[in-house]
Amino acid sequence: AQSVTQLDSQVPVFEEAPVELRCNYSSSVSVYLFWYVQYPNQGLQLLLKYLSGSTLVKGINGFEAEFNKSQTSFHLRKPSVHISDTAEYFCAVSMNLQGAQKLVFGQGTRLTINP
Amino acid sequence: NAGVTQTPKFQVLKTGQSMTLQCAQDMNHNSMYWYRQDPGMGLRLIYYSASEGTTDKGEVPNGYNVSRLNKREFSLRLESAAPSQTSVYFCASSERPLAVITDTQYFGPGTRLTVL
């Protein structure tokens, strides 16, 4: 069965510092990986996704993630964070369920940016 | 273009009461989903509709029913609410029929439900 583990439930960083949010997955088949962001009191929106090809994926708001098949990881990074990046971040793996897509989400990582 | 809209935004119920959460999308998407979000557990799929006229169970369907009213609307019903159903509920949609595995899902703003 496919599963996703986000290793940190909370990550506090200072403004303009770099950040890495960790995500590991388990799957026995081809994987399609997503990062979603949830700003306070809002729904989720897509940051980036890995489907195939280059293992370094660039997303919105300066975020990028690297797919590492040997380490079964898909960590999210940003070289310099802003206060506006304060949000909860979810890693997800997409799988086929009875002919339809199912997203399996990690537990989420709450990113807090301190001035 | 409002995307995915949900009503109501907040709701408080007593144990045993029933209610329907409404979801609509204006992106002409084929597939729609209902999730619940609980602290420390990410989002879990309750039901989905891979295309108009079909619905199927997800991970946690017990205590819920759904109706795909038309291509735009997908409602979630709690027949007899229980405190364990206190959660934030999200509706989502994706473009292609059969909810193709590589599709992006677009989420609504959520409904915060408390069952006393």
Side-chain angles (χ1 to χ4, degrees):
Chain A
Q2 295 185 335
S3 66
V4 176
T5 302
Q6 292 182 243
L7 298 163
D8 306 295
S9 59
Q10 296 188 63
V11 173
V13 297
F14 287 106
E15 196 172 15
E16 298 183 8
V19 69
E20 178 180 82
L21 306 184
R22 296 181 293 169
C23 172
N24 287 88
Y25 67 91
S26 66
S27 173
S28 57
V29 297
S30 297
V31 289
Y32 306 97
L33 294 157
F34 298 73
W35 274 100
Y36 280 85
V37 60
Q38 182 180 28
Y39 297 106
N41 300 313
Q42 294 186 28
L44 281 72
Q45 65 182 82
L46 181 71
L47 264 182
L48 49 81
K49 61 182 178 182
Y50 171 78
L51 303 181
S52 65
S54 172
T55 57
L56 183 64
V57 181
K58 293 192 185 297
I60 62 170
N61 300 339
F63 283 92
E64 62 181 32
E66 184 153 22
F67 171 60
N68 187 318
K69 188 174 182 179
S70 62
Q71 296 188 6
T72 61
S73 67
F74 190 53
H75 300 334
L76 182 71
R77 301 186 183 102
K78 186 170 182 178
S80 176
V81 295
H82 301 285
I83 293 283
S84 58
D85 293 322
T86 295
E88 189 149 20
Y89 293 79
F90 292 95
C91 182
V93 61
S94 182
M95 61 179 285
N96 193 286
L97 172 70
Q98 298 170 329
Q101 181 197 36
K102 176 186 174 185
L103 279 176
V104 176
F105 284 89
Q107 302 92 325
T109 298
R110 188 171 298 277
L111 177 63
T112 304
I113 312 300
N114 298 307
Chain B
N1 189 341
V4 180
T5 56
Q6 293 182 234
T7 55
K9 286 188 167 49
F10 302 93
Q11 184 71 49
V12 179
L13 294 177
K14 294 181 181 177
T15 297
Q17 288 185 316
S18 63
M19 78 160 295
T20 299
L21 282 64
Q22 306 287 355
C23 173
Q25 51 90 10
D26 62 1
M27 297 176 283
N28 201 34
H29 284 176
N30 287 282
S31 302
M32 297 184 75
Y33 311 80
W34 276 105
Y35 293 89
R36 60 177 289 173
Q37 183 183 29
D38 301 295
M41 301 186 73
L43 277 74
R44 293 180 292 168
L45 183 64
I46 304 171
Y47 270 92
Y48 64 96
S49 170
S51 60
E52 187 179 356
T54 69
T55 61
D56 285 287
K57 295 178 181 179
E59 278 181 87
V60 289
N62 291 345
Y64 305 95
N65 284 301
V66 290
S67 295
R68 183 76 183 264
L69 305 168
N70 48 54
K71 191 173 185 181
R72 289 187 64 248
E73 298 172 288
F74 188 38
S75 63
L76 178 72
R77 183 161 178 83
L78 286 69
E79 291 291 350
S80 179
S84 61
Q85 294 177 304
T86 293
S87 188
V88 182
Y89 291 85
F90 288 100
C91 178
S93 68
S94 61
E95 183 176 359
R96 288 177 278 183
L98 298 183
V100 172
I101 197 169
T102 55
D103 263 359
T104 297
Q105 291 187 17
Y106 294 84
F107 287 79
T111 294
R112 196 170 294 271
L113 176 67
T114 302
V115 183
L116 302 174

